[in-house]
Amino acid sequence: VFIKFGGSLITRKDTPMTARTELIERLAGEIAELRKNAPEISLVLGNGAGSFGHYKVVEHDIKAGFSGPEGAFGYADVQNAASALNRIVVHALLAKGVPAVGFQPSTMFTARDGARDGIFPDALSGMTGSGVVPVVYGDIIWDSVRGSVIFSTETVFSHLIEDAISRGNPPRLVMHLTTVPGVLDADARVIPEITPASWPDLARHIARTDGYDVTGGMKHKIESSLELTQKGITTYILDGNTEGNIAAALEGTGYQGTKITG
Amino acid sequence: VFIKFGGSLITRKDTPMTARTELIERLAGEIAELRKNAPEISLVLGNGAGSFGHYKVVEHDIKAGFSGPEGAFGYADVQNAASALNRIVVHALLAKGVPAVGFQPSTMFTARDGARDGIFPDALSGMTGSGVVPVVYGDIIWDSVRGSVIFSTETVFSHLIEDAISRGNPPRLVMHLTTVPGVLDADARVIPEITPASWPDLARHIARTDGYDVTGGMKHKIESSLELTQKGITTYILDGNTEGNIAAALEGTGYQGTKITG
């Protein structure tokens, strides 16, 4: 099971570099609870960069890449900010007894002109069987053409899921914990379920999402989730502000959010 | 140029999880100065884990590996401690204007029964040409047989140097900043120079080093440095407590320490 803590959810949108500490602690507690109730589940977690990434990316004007000494410092400053938020999440999980280990995407991925080039998932995939819970994050990746490219947690997840599928060990579920109550239609009502069959009609009526969405939006999230349904993987887009939502989605009932399934 | 900040140097030996902050700031300033005076030099830095790693490794009894849920938490706790010290070093460098980026060894290496298995140096080696200064560290690596194995900064360096050599881009110098004034003989006098020719005789008279040496000692350091001399690489074992010692060794004169050369 892959679970993402959205960047807009776990940081304060209007204050740079500020984490929503209590919410992160509550989510860490829910992960600890999930591990107690379902110890057979291997988890991979991820956290978005939210306001930790956003302001630094703008400050250093590094969204399209970098070159030169000032660019190099911008790269380092953005990576440091992304890493800092990941440390906060890992600390919260450790404090609840979860054997969480931060996994730095910029060490395990390279890119070429915006697309993924190299990948080294061996350490992460080896470790998931041992009880350790890897926590990846949205990060700034070395790009041999542009200098750098931003990989969202979703991009990192999609490459890791692809790798897991190729090893014959696909995840059962993917959960996105967000600031919204689910995928909303034009009247701001939650769409309970999306399938490849229902999507073409629904697509014309969904609402735009709130928060930082440097690397895509809700539509992109839904479309990549629909692709996963072809591999038998179900995705939940969940309200991260609702307590107990992770466990509810795991049971498949009583959750606040949208289910994307085949 | 590869420069290691020894773990015994940058942490307090008798207090767990305590960094020598002022000393780290002074070293960061010397790195910033070096980059200003010799911008053509590509740097790779590394920091030992010192008291951050030592106490946690003992607490979780994880030196030989781990298994089971408690072992997994031990792994996570040790990795977190190693990562925490690396963050301190990276912050100090950023504060002096050095575009330092922490590079997590446990994401880029795997091991099998204590020996290195996989390696993904692509992101690090790509980035060194861009002005970014990677900072690796002593870390706990996933081992498919034992669960885990400790890789010292020196082990990480040796694999990265091997990779750099294989890419036709060997480092010119390696510096180890330590708590000792250099390699000492039995009468505690610094041996100014060691060569493959002089070593067999000197080896019988060197003093034991102080500090944490979970993964080898001074002899191991010297012997792996002697191997590097065959590739034309000179190593300095330097007194990290002497101000300006990095620049002095770079000039090859007036430094406090031992030179290991061919």
Side-chain angles (χ1 to χ4, degrees):
Chain A
V1 175
F2 279 67
I3 303 178
K4 182 199 165 186
F5 300 164
S8 300
L9 174 70
I10 62 170
T11 64
R12 291 193 193 285
K13 189 161 62 170
D14 33 20
T15 326
M17 307 285 287
T18 312
R20 291 180 66 192
T21 316
E22 278 178 36
L23 180 132
I24 292 170
E25 284 167 7
R26 199 253 299 156
L27 292 176
E30 292 194 19
I31 296 294
E33 197 67 21
L34 185 158
R35 282 173 42 84
K36 205 186 292 169
N37 297 333
E40 73 285 0
I41 293 178
S42 282
L43 292 174
V44 176
L45 306 182
N47 69 268
S51 71
F52 279 65
H54 180 76
Y55 288 93
K56 290 288 185 188
V57 167
V58 171
E59 180 189 334
H60 297 292
D61 190 19
I62 202 170
K63 208 187 145 186
F66 80 89
S67 63
E70 275 180 42
F73 190 80
Y75 179 93
D77 201 27
V78 171
Q79 207 294 315
N80 180 54
S83 189
L85 180 58
N86 179 253
R87 299 313 306 157
I88 292 171
V89 173
V90 168
H91 284 163
L93 288 160
L94 286 170
K96 302 286 185 186
V98 177
V101 176
F103 263 83
Q104 185 184 345
S106 49
T107 300
M108 61 194 292
F109 290 103
T110 57
R112 177 184 295 272
D113 210 8
R116 202 205 82 196
D117 190 10
I119 176 172
F120 185 72
D122 304 33
L124 186 145
S125 69
M127 235 174 259
T128 46
S130 74
V132 164
V133 177
V135 190
V136 297
Y137 51 102
D139 200 2
I140 185 160
I141 306 292
W142 164 247
D143 186 305
S144 55
V145 174
R146 304 180 186 180
S148 63
V149 62
I150 310 284
F151 272 19
S152 66
T153 312
E154 277 163 65
T155 302
V156 172
F157 266 17
S158 72
H159 292 302
L160 294 177
I161 289 170
E162 204 179 286
D163 173 69
I165 291 170
S166 77
R167 287 172 200 252
N169 190 24
R172 190 161 62 86
L173 288 178
V174 178
M175 298 186 196
H176 296 282
L177 296 171
T178 70
T179 39
V180 287
V183 181
L184 303 180
D185 66 17
D187 300 324
R189 287 173 308 204
V190 174
I191 302 171
E193 190 169 301
I194 299 174
T195 65
S198 67
W199 176 237
D201 190 48
L202 289 169
R204 284 174 287 127
H205 304 294
I206 70 159
R208 288 185 59 84
T209 51
D210 217 19
Y212 307 106
D213 251 324
V214 196
T215 38
M218 188 58 93
K219 269 203 169 162
H220 174 75
K221 214 189 283 275
I222 295 164
E223 279 163 3
S224 50
S225 302
L226 286 168
E227 277 177 40
L228 291 179
T229 64
Q230 293 170 13
K231 311 282 182 186
I233 301 166
T234 296
T235 300
Y236 287 92
I237 295 173
L238 296 167
D239 184 355
N241 290 308
T242 299
E243 257 180 69
N245 222 4
I246 297 172
L250 197 66
E251 290 195 14
T253 175
Y255 55 86
Q256 174 64 53
T258 299
K259 182 181 188 175
I260 302 171
T261 193
Chain B
V1 176
F2 280 66
I3 303 177
K4 182 199 165 186
F5 300 164
S8 301
L9 175 69
I10 62 170
T11 64
R12 292 193 194 285
K13 189 162 60 171
D14 32 21
T15 326
M17 308 285 288
T18 312
R20 290 180 66 192
T21 316
E22 278 178 38
L23 179 133
I24 293 170
E25 283 167 8
R26 199 253 299 156
L27 292 176
E30 292 194 20
I31 296 294
E33 198 67 22
L34 185 159
R35 282 174 42 86
K36 204 186 293 170
N37 297 333
E40 74 285 0
I41 294 177
S42 282
L43 291 173
V44 177
L45 306 182
N47 69 269
S51 71
F52 279 64
H54 180 75
Y55 288 92
K56 289 288 185 189
V57 167
V58 171
E59 180 189 333
H60 297 291
D61 190 19
I62 202 169
K63 209 187 144 186
F66 79 90
S67 63
E70 274 180 43
F73 190 81
Y75 179 93
D77 201 28
V78 170
Q79 207 294 316
N80 180 53
S83 190
L85 180 58
N86 179 253
R87 299 312 309 157
I88 292 171
V89 173
V90 168
H91 285 164
L93 288 159
L94 286 171
K96 302 287 184 185
V98 177
V101 176
F103 263 81
Q104 184 185 345
S106 48
T107 300
M108 60 195 291
F109 290 103
T110 56
R112 177 183 293 273
D113 210 7
R116 202 206 80 196
D117 189 9
I119 176 173
F120 184 73
D122 304 33
L124 187 145
S125 69
M127 235 174 259
T128 46
S130 75
V132 164
V133 177
V135 190
V136 297
Y137 51 101
D139 201 1
I140 185 161
I141 307 293
W142 164 248
D143 186 305
S144 53
V145 175
R146 303 180 186 180
S148 63
V149 61
I150 309 284
F151 271 20
S152 66
T153 312
E154 277 162 63
T155 302
V156 172
F157 266 16
S158 72
H159 292 302
L160 294 176
I161 290 170
E162 203 180 287
D163 173 70
I165 291 170
S166 76
R167 287 171 199 253
N169 191 23
R172 190 161 64 85
L173 289 177
V174 179
M175 298 186 196
H176 295 282
L177 296 172
T178 69
T179 39
V180 287
V183 181
L184 303 180
D185 66 17
D187 300 323
R189 287 173 309 205
V190 173
I191 302 170
E193 190 170 300
I194 299 173
T195 65
S198 68
W199 176 236
D201 191 47
L202 289 169
R204 283 173 289 126
H205 304 296
I206 69 159
R208 289 184 60 83
T209 50
D210 218 17
Y212 306 104
D213 251 324
V214 195
T215 38
M218 188 58 93
K219 268 202 172 163
H220 174 75
K221 214 189 283 274
I222 296 165
E223 279 163 3
S224 50
S225 302
L226 286 168
E227 278 177 39
L228 291 180
T229 65
Q230 293 170 14
K231 311 282 182 184
I233 302 165
T234 296
T235 300
Y236 288 91
I237 294 173
L238 296 167
D239 184 355
N241 290 308
T242 298
E243 256 179 70
N245 221 6
I246 297 172
L250 197 65
E251 291 195 13
T253 174
Y255 55 87
Q256 173 67 52
T258 298
K259 182 182 187 173
I260 302 171
T261 192

